[in-house]
Amino acid sequence: MSIPFPHSTIIGYPRIGPRRELKKALEAYWSGQADRAALEDEARRIRESTYARLTELGLNPHDSSIPASFSLYDQVLDTAVVLGAVPERFADLPDDDGVLDLDAYFTLARGDATRPPLEMTKWFDTNYHYLVPEIGAATPFALSPDSVLREVDEAAEAGYRVRPTLIGPVTFLLLSKADDGTDPAFVPLDRLHDVLPLYRDLLRLLADRGVRWVQFDEPGLVADTEMPEERIEAAVREAYGHLAEGADRPALFVATPYGTLGTRLAGLAATGVDAVHLDLVKGAVPTAAEIGVLRGKTLVAGIVDGHNVWKADLAAASGVLDTLRADDVALSVATSTSLQHVPYDAGIEQALDPLLRSWLSFADQKVQEVAVLARHVAHPGVVDGEIAAAARILAGRRASPGVEVPAVRARTADLTPSDFVRGDYGERRAAQQAALELPVLPTTTIGSFPQTAEIRSARARAARGALTAEQYEAALQDEIRRVVRLQEDLGFDVLVHGEAERNDMVQYFAEHLNGFDVTRHGWVQSYGSRCTRPSLLWGDVSRPAPITVPWTSFAQSLTDRPVKGMLTGPVTILAWSFVRTDQPLADTANQVALALRDEVEDLERAGTRIIQVDEPALRELLPLRRADQAAYLAWSVRAFTLATASAAPATQIHTHLCYSEFGSVLAAIDGLDADVTSLEAARSRMEVVHDLGEHGFGRGVGPGVYDIHSPRVPSVEEIQALLERAVRHVPAEQLWVNPDCGLKTRGYRETEESLRNLVGAARAVRAAVEAPAGLG
Ligand code: GLN
Ligand code: ZN
């Protein structure tokens, strides 16, 4: 092997900008307020300041340590565009050479008036969403290397030798979906031999530019899929066998974040790849025998957690690194994943308690941790001072007030199996029917109503102190009054208060629970220009006072119809926060669940008869390896039941899930034992009711009939057709009528019209099922 792999590196770095500069530039460009040059200038500025910052933090600017991991929208889309893999409906976008310009790129990502964009889905077990390439048997491929080459040249001019990063061919095809209308036996991986020549041409072009190392991300290799194991092994052999063949290429570095490569390591190592990254945070630490397969290559140890925000235990990490030393296998240090999942810099969180801040490591701090550990590998002993300092901080953290609260510990230790079970469903159903007197096909919404500019501005003014607490409360009460009146006018059976007081369904609870804090600037990209600000769950969780009760009770005081209480479930609170790692996730989940259980009981005491506990993220944390899934589903379902099981039989518990592929989790949904479950279904034309029918799902269910992800207003007839389909698969007595998800991102105009149609359709179908002949 000619050029050694850098001693320290990261797999990727955030790209949205430390002050979300890219978000602002993208949105200005999309709205026509800024031109293309302004967007490209901002993007270049972000890339160059990233390179400068990484150098300052300890990466070598000349030895390929710095990844060129920028993206204007999404890294999977970028690779699709480099390969010219454009679905048929966008066939007019590429120019004669198959090249897509900037607007074409955004059209794939965002769609246009006549064409839906590429589908979006969660990236492994993270809250990042990628765009799903669509590949058919005839999808044309044509190399468009310009964006990659331009970044290399631009970096070189600025004095950096960077490492281009792309999605590797196997993962790219595993993540793609088959184009509609192709033979059902076709899988995108069938096209492997068609994409490999393009990757190979790209390698040649990069070698000509003086690029020494190229990174291929292959996280697809840490997940189980429907694909048979032999097929994956063969694909790895073919792909990296082929790419490594040519002499005129940079060295090949394959990164496998988010899990364990396991038995697939040997196959990958048997090809001519030059360096392999393993995720040692989520994945297993390799044994000596496993390391042995990398003889003559570099093992890149992903030891610094790229997916969470806590300061690394450098003593433990350096100990693990020591076990990886092997003859004839070079050892380098890296992050476990790209740092795109964490905010930029903990140092700027000046509003946080300095003690809590000292426990944090955001992207910039992680680069420094990688550098320290690399120095340990090179010269054991030289960084003992840093290792000891980190150990002191960790020890201080363990002993810090709030981290271990005896009363919280006692409460979870005293739990018994009966705390997790509600009474018999048949009895509950009868008690609820008597208490609620709802018609068949009752109508409701998922919780939030449109968040108007006035609400957001009132919240911002209250946060600044420009509104007093009383003024803010009065503004929210006005809003609740409006929302309740609107729902009564529209004829809804079960009302909501609208969630106007919530900025975010997790952060709102985090702000009201002990054990959490929130950041000011801790934004991470969710997709495109969208960012979220995950809360920090650092200590034992408990609830100092009721959280939602005043809002729900106020709404209930305005109407005779039942108002649903609205809570975010324990699993979703964990999934969308940065969670402590010093105890099992299941224990943390139970603490959150007990805090919610207190809230459920207070809501009941205040007269709330229906309580919804949202779990849109239940599926997101599902482990990537099948063998780990049952244990996860067991504790996550238990946490939900712990939050809800003390409700009286007459109290109706609802839950809401935000997706429609239930196959793998249907049994778990059943295990939640909610009286009513609302699901996403409008986009898939109610396919889920078929699964529910087959599974014999016995409780209430509300498959969404209005797709709130689009501004389109569904007609009465359209909704009616969906409901009629549902009624054929699921008994009408079990069905609820509701939108797909919360309405907070929608405008009032289309929302009102859609909801009016929804109630109209429910009434029509209700009349038909109640008619003596029923629905044919
Ligand atoms: N109750 C929440 C809302 O309506 C649920 C949102 C979600 O499922 N993501 O906004
Ligand atoms: Zn939802």
Side-chain angles (χ1 to χ4, degrees):
M1 191 179 53
S2 41
I3 295 145
F5 190 81
H7 296 303
S8 58
T9 191
I10 58 174
I11 300 307
Y13 190 73
R15 58 241 179 165
I16 202 74
R19 290 285 189 271
R20 289 183 294 162
E21 291 86 346
L22 179 61
K23 173 193 177 68
K24 288 165 200 156
L26 283 169
E27 290 173 359
Y29 178 68
W30 292 336
S31 70
Q33 282 160 3
D35 63 8
R36 179 183 172 139
L39 173 59
E40 288 183 340
D41 280 351
E42 187 63 84
R44 186 173 329 109
R45 219 189 47 70
I46 292 172
R47 288 193 291 264
E48 285 188 10
S49 51
T50 292
Y51 303 152
R53 181 75 174 141
L54 290 174
T55 304
E56 188 182 310
L57 292 167
L59 295 190
N60 183 327
H62 308 300
D63 73 351
S64 313
S65 296
I66 295 180
S69 62
F70 182 80
S71 175
L72 273 174
Y73 200 99
D74 168 48
Q75 64 258 29
V76 180
L77 176 63
D78 292 352
T79 297
V81 165
V82 167
L83 298 174
V86 174
E88 182 62 36
R89 68 178 178 286
F90 295 113
D92 61 302
L93 293 179
D95 68 15
D96 293 345
D97 300 324
V99 175
L100 288 141
D101 69 8
L102 188 69
D103 289 323
Y105 174 87
F106 290 135
T107 303
L108 289 173
R110 310 175 69 231
D112 61 18
T114 57
R115 297 174 285 201
L118 296 182
E119 223 175 76
M120 202 168 60
T121 195
K122 298 247 161 162
W123 173 247
F124 297 91
D125 58 350
T126 75
N127 194 17
Y128 176 75
H129 303 67
Y130 70 95
L131 289 163
V132 183
E134 295 165 28
I135 308 281
T139 302
F141 295 112
L143 185 66
S144 304
D146 293 6
S147 55
V148 183
L149 302 180
R150 220 178 316 120
E151 271 183 45
V152 168
D153 293 345
E154 169 197 291
E157 269 164 44
Y160 303 95
R161 185 192 298 279
V162 295
R163 184 177 78 238
T165 71
L166 285 111
I167 306 297
V170 180
T171 295
F172 178 77
L173 293 171
L174 286 175
L175 294 182
S176 298
K177 65 175 230 181
D179 223 341
D180 283 343
T182 43
D183 167 2
F186 169 83
V187 289
L189 198 58
D190 294 345
R191 301 291 309 275
L192 184 63
H193 59 277
D194 295 323
V195 301
L196 291 178
L198 279 71
Y199 276 95
R200 186 122 158 221
D201 290 345
L202 178 64
L203 289 176
R204 198 171 305 125
L205 293 170
L206 290 171
D208 289 346
R209 292 292 214 275
V211 167
R212 295 196 175 147
W213 282 92
V214 169
Q215 173 177 329
F216 288 124
D217 290 329
E218 288 284 9
L221 300 181
V222 308
D224 286 327
T225 62
E226 300 298 303
M227 197 72 66
E229 192 58 30
E230 314 79 68
R231 184 78 203 273
I232 304 238
E233 281 169 15
V236 168
R237 243 189 341 264
E238 182 185 348
Y240 289 96
H242 185 84
L243 296 184
E245 251 169 37
D248 47 351
R249 62 162 176 90
L252 300 182
F253 167 47
V254 176
T256 62
Y258 310 110
T260 295
L261 204 45
T263 53
R264 295 170 183 173
L265 170 62
L268 181 61
T271 69
V273 299
D274 304 284
V276 175
H277 159 273
L278 302 178
D279 180 334
L280 303 182
V281 176
K282 275 280 174 58
V285 175
T287 62
E290 284 167 325
I291 298 167
V293 303
L294 288 168
R295 193 153 298 229
K297 305 180 191 290
T298 303
L299 166 57
V300 182
I303 190 87
V304 172
D305 193 348
H307 193 182
N308 208 335
V309 293
W310 310 108
K311 195 156 264 182
D313 181 343
L314 294 179
S318 55
V320 169
L321 289 170
D322 290 338
T323 70
L324 302 177
R325 297 177 194 273
D327 288 342
D328 217 14
V329 179
L331 182 60
S332 290
V333 181
T335 51
S336 63
T337 69
S338 164
L339 296 172
Q340 73 182 105
H341 308 300
V342 296
Y344 278 82
D345 183 5
I348 61 174
E349 295 294 339
Q350 291 302 322
L352 282 182
D353 179 334
L355 191 60
L356 172 58
R357 197 168 64 232
S358 76
W359 304 340
L360 295 173
S361 172
F362 290 178
D364 288 359
Q365 288 71 41
K366 287 172 189 293
V367 178
Q368 293 171 315
E369 289 171 343
V370 165
V372 167
L373 289 167
R375 282 163 58 212
H376 167 83
V377 169
H379 308 287
V382 292
V383 291
D384 284 357
E386 280 92 334
I387 293 176
R392 270 195 304 279
I393 289 175
L394 285 175
R397 175 175 170 182
R398 272 189 292 275
S400 220
V403 171
E404 287 191 22
V405 179
V408 176
R409 303 268 152 159
R411 208 172 159 201
T412 46
D414 286 349
L415 290 172
T416 63
S418 67
D419 293 321
F420 297 84
V421 284
R422 272 188 100 189
D424 172 68
Y425 175 66
E427 281 166 32
R428 272 153 46 195
R429 187 179 159 83
Q432 290 162 22
Q433 260 165 352
L436 295 167
E437 299 186 305
L438 294 170
V440 284
L441 300 174
T443 50
T444 191
T445 61
I446 305 303
S448 59
F449 266 71
Q451 289 243 334
T452 58
E454 296 81 73
I455 300 171
R456 278 196 293 265
S457 125
R459 194 163 43 237
R461 277 180 292 146
R464 280 204 305 276
L467 280 190
T468 64
E470 292 73 31
Q471 286 169 322
Y472 180 52
E473 191 176 321
L476 290 174
Q477 288 188 342
D478 282 347
E479 180 64 19
I480 291 173
R481 243 180 241 115
R482 235 161 50 80
V483 167
V484 167
R485 198 166 314 128
L486 173 64
Q487 294 171 88
E488 286 192 323
D489 289 348
L490 291 169
F492 273 90
D493 300 305
V494 171
L495 313 195
V496 295
H497 78 286
E499 300 180 28
E501 77 286 7
R502 303 183 192 176
N503 40 5
D504 171 284
M505 64 186 285
V506 170
Q507 190 181 327
Y508 181 72
F509 287 89
E511 281 169 348
H512 289 85
L513 291 169
N514 296 325
F516 285 89
D517 259 291
V518 299
T519 66
R520 278 274 167 83
H521 311 285
W523 296 99
V524 296
Q525 188 183 22
S526 169
Y527 65 90
S529 67
R530 291 292 196 99
C531 300
T532 62
R533 203 156 35 119
S535 305
L536 308 170
L537 196 177
W538 56 267
D540 279 353
V541 176
S542 60
R543 190 195 65 146
I547 302 170
T548 64
V549 178
W551 306 118
T552 309
S553 312
F554 176 72
Q556 186 65 79
S557 74
L558 304 172
T559 177
D560 294 333
R561 304 188 193 177
V563 173
K564 257 195 298 196
M566 279 293 151
L567 306 177
T568 302
V571 183
T572 299
I573 289 183
L574 296 196
W576 295 349
S577 303
F578 289 119
V579 178
R580 65 193 295 180
T581 53
D582 57 347
Q583 66 181 18
L585 221 44
D587 295 354
T588 310
N590 280 347
Q591 292 182 0
V592 176
L594 283 171
L596 293 168
R597 184 177 174 113
D598 295 343
E599 187 75 8
V600 165
E601 290 172 9
D602 281 335
L603 280 168
E604 268 188 314
R605 264 193 287 275
T608 308
R609 288 168 287 165
I610 305 184
I611 300 170
Q612 178 170 310
V613 180
D614 291 327
E615 281 294 18
L618 184 68
R619 200 167 162 284
E620 180 176 315
L621 291 188
L622 191 70
L624 302 176
R625 293 291 195 172
R626 225 165 270 127
D628 305 327
Q629 292 176 354
Y632 161 75
L633 288 171
W635 71 250
S636 57
V637 166
R638 269 171 67 83
F640 181 92
T641 55
L642 179 59
T644 51
S646 66
T651 302
Q652 193 167 65
I653 298 291
H654 289 212
T655 190
H656 167 69
L657 311 167
C658 264
Y659 40 81
S660 58
E661 319 93 63
F662 304 98
S664 50
V665 289
L666 239 167
I669 296 174
D670 220 359
L672 298 179
D673 196 22
D675 299 302
V676 179
T677 304
S678 63
L679 309 159
E680 193 169 293
R683 265 184 298 184
S684 58
R685 304 275 315 150
M686 292 266 141
E687 267 160 35
V688 61
V689 292
H690 184 102
D691 294 350
L692 291 167
E694 300 243 293
H695 183 80
F697 190 79
R699 291 181 287 273
V701 59
V705 290
Y706 155 33
D707 173 11
I708 65 88
H709 299 93
S710 144
R712 227 182 110 257
V713 174
S715 67
V716 174
E717 295 69 36
E718 195 180 326
I719 299 177
Q720 197 172 329
L722 292 175
L723 289 174
E724 282 163 359
R725 177 148 190 226
V727 169
R728 280 196 290 275
H729 292 278
V730 178
E733 307 71 62
Q734 279 174 248
L735 278 174
W736 282 66
V737 184
N738 48 255
D740 256 353
C741 193
L743 302 165
K744 72 166 173 242
T745 56
R746 290 267 65 88
Y748 258 106
R749 180 127 32 88
E750 77 256 16
T751 298
E752 259 187 67
E753 224 181 304
S754 304
L755 294 180
R756 181 164 294 116
N757 293 349
L758 181 146
V759 173
R763 287 187 176 148
V765 179
R766 189 181 293 162
V769 293
E770 280 173 341
L775 197 75

